[in-house]
Amino acid sequence: MTATPIIEAFFDESTNTISYLVIDPATRLAAVIDPVLDFDLPNGEVDTGSADRILAMAEEKGWRITMVLETHAHADHLSAAPYIKAKTGAQIGIGEHIRDVQKIFRPVFAFDDLKTDGSDFDRLFVDGERFALGTLEVEAMHTPGHTPADLTYRIGDVAFVGDTLFMPDYGSARADFPGGDARQLYRSIRKLLSLPDDTRLFLCHDYKAPDRDDYRWETTVGEQRRASVHVHDGVSEDEFVAMREARDATLAVPKLLLPSIQVNIRGGRFPAADANGVRFLRIPVKIKDGIEQGI
Ligand SMILES: [Fe+2]
């Protein structure tokens, strides 16, 4: 029986992302889950305010950060994992299927220098792998569907589920990114919902449901099974897939999609600088059929 971790949540309203500090009370060793790197797209400007808040709390409390755990390669915010690593020496971990994500996006951005063996990360976790955070035991559970590489990190009766489930009144994550699969997402969610009812689930995002005026990011397996608007008990795989695919067809592209993917598949690093010393991100231009030359 593993001890219960201390958990501190950090909400970034500009990307609706929740990052976590997870601490082993016995040894004061800590992991950061899904840290956000602030990025102002119109200016191309990077800032570390969000990550610095996490580092400051760890410093103040005497917690030593030894790991940065990514639930997946995010498509809506840039990762501050390498910044946290540079400041603390922490190792960066992600699911082994990040290689599949790298293989999908390397040709999309014509990133000839991108390695697709996952070696931009320090640890590649396989499904069911267990590792120590001080005296805590963390289990990596492969929960694909939103992307091929999604992991849930379970520590006893606590699970950090990334983008699989959202609050029960909001539902589930989209499954329409390249490599996403609504059927796989349903199976991953059912795997999570087979954990004991009192398992506490910590989410990576909250967008407030229509009838709610506060942000929330903690729920339980029991609540999801009773009340999830997308996957409560009794919703079949086919019903879920039909709902998910119909809904995904209506969703806008996240505003940081292209920058996020390019940086996050490199372990949170920007591409190397051009000859003028400036780092650039790429926008693949799509020209609609029927538009003649001259563009
Ligand atoms: Fe995501």
Side-chain angles (χ1 to χ4, degrees):
M1 176 85 191
T2 193
T4 301
I6 300 167
I7 298 166
E8 295 285 350
F10 299 82
F11 184 64
D12 174 45
E13 193 159 19
S14 68
T15 62
N16 295 81
T17 302
I18 302 100
S19 307
Y20 298 96
L21 246 181
V22 184
I23 303 101
D24 170 28
T27 59
R28 307 178 83 77
L29 297 184
V32 182
I33 299 182
D34 293 332
V36 171
L37 185 72
D38 307 308
F39 186 62
D40 178 6
L41 181 59
N43 292 310
E45 206 166 274
V46 173
D47 199 3
T48 58
S50 293
D52 286 334
R53 277 191 285 284
I54 298 174
L55 292 169
M57 179 179 282
E59 168 94 36
E60 183 195 316
K61 302 271 191 180
W63 297 328
R64 189 158 75 81
I65 297 169
T66 57
M67 276 189 225
V68 181
L69 303 175
E70 298 281 11
T71 54
H72 61 297
H74 306 276
D76 47 33
H77 67 271
L78 280 62
S79 168
Y83 178 71
I84 304 242
K85 176 177 176 166
K87 292 281 183 184
T88 63
Q91 292 207 310
I92 303 172
I94 198 165
E96 62 162 339
H97 291 282
I98 188 64
R99 297 183 191 112
D100 302 333
V101 180
Q102 291 173 323
K103 285 178 190 124
I104 289 170
F105 286 106
R106 188 178 194 271
V108 171
F109 295 106
F111 277 157
D112 298 338
D113 66 325
L114 177 72
K115 297 183 293 267
T116 57
D117 59 359
S119 59
D120 280 330
F121 300 84
D122 301 307
R123 301 281 302 268
L124 297 179
F125 300 117
V126 304
D127 183 36
E129 181 170 347
R130 288 159 192 257
F131 56 93
L133 175 66
T135 62
L136 301 175
E137 183 182 74
V138 185
E139 181 193 356
M141 299 169 67
H142 186 212
T143 46
H146 171 61
T147 79
D150 283 61
L151 280 191
T152 291
Y153 296 101
R154 189 182 68 81
I155 306 172
D157 62 359
V158 168
F160 298 89
V161 300
D163 291 9
T164 47
L165 288 159
F166 295 140
M167 290 302 287
D169 56 6
Y170 198 87
S172 57
R174 66 195 298 171
D176 59 336
F177 295 141
D181 183 327
R183 204 161 284 283
Q184 231 178 17
L185 179 60
Y186 179 86
R187 291 173 191 173
S188 293
I189 290 172
R190 295 317 307 180
K191 179 168 150 181
L192 289 176
L193 298 188
S194 69
L195 293 169
D197 264 17
D198 59 358
T199 305
R200 292 191 291 153
L201 306 179
F202 289 87
L203 317 177
C204 186
H205 294 292
D206 187 57
Y207 305 93
K208 291 178 185 169
D211 296 332
R212 175 150 60 82
D213 56 14
D214 59 341
Y215 290 112
R216 293 182 206 166
W217 43 78
E218 180 180 347
T219 173
T220 64
V221 165
E223 271 176 14
Q224 293 281 358
R225 293 184 56 175
R226 271 192 309 280
S228 168
V229 290
H230 289 174
V231 280
H232 60 80
D233 282 359
V235 175
S236 72
E237 183 170 316
D238 285 343
E239 285 168 332
F240 175 81
V241 169
M243 176 285 302
R244 191 64 265 170
E245 290 179 349
R247 182 169 160 72
D248 286 349
T250 70
L251 297 179
V253 171
K255 66 179 189 294
L256 291 179
L257 175 84
L258 294 171
S260 301
I261 297 284
Q262 292 175 66
V263 168
N264 294 342
I265 58 173
R266 296 175 183 272
R269 295 173 194 90
F270 285 82
D274 264 26
N276 65 353
V278 178
R279 295 163 185 260
F280 290 91
L281 295 169
R282 296 185 160 189
I283 300 177
V285 176
K286 296 173 210 134
I287 297 176
K288 282 183 180 165
D289 287 348
I291 295 180
E292 297 302 330
Q293 293 174 354
I295 288 175

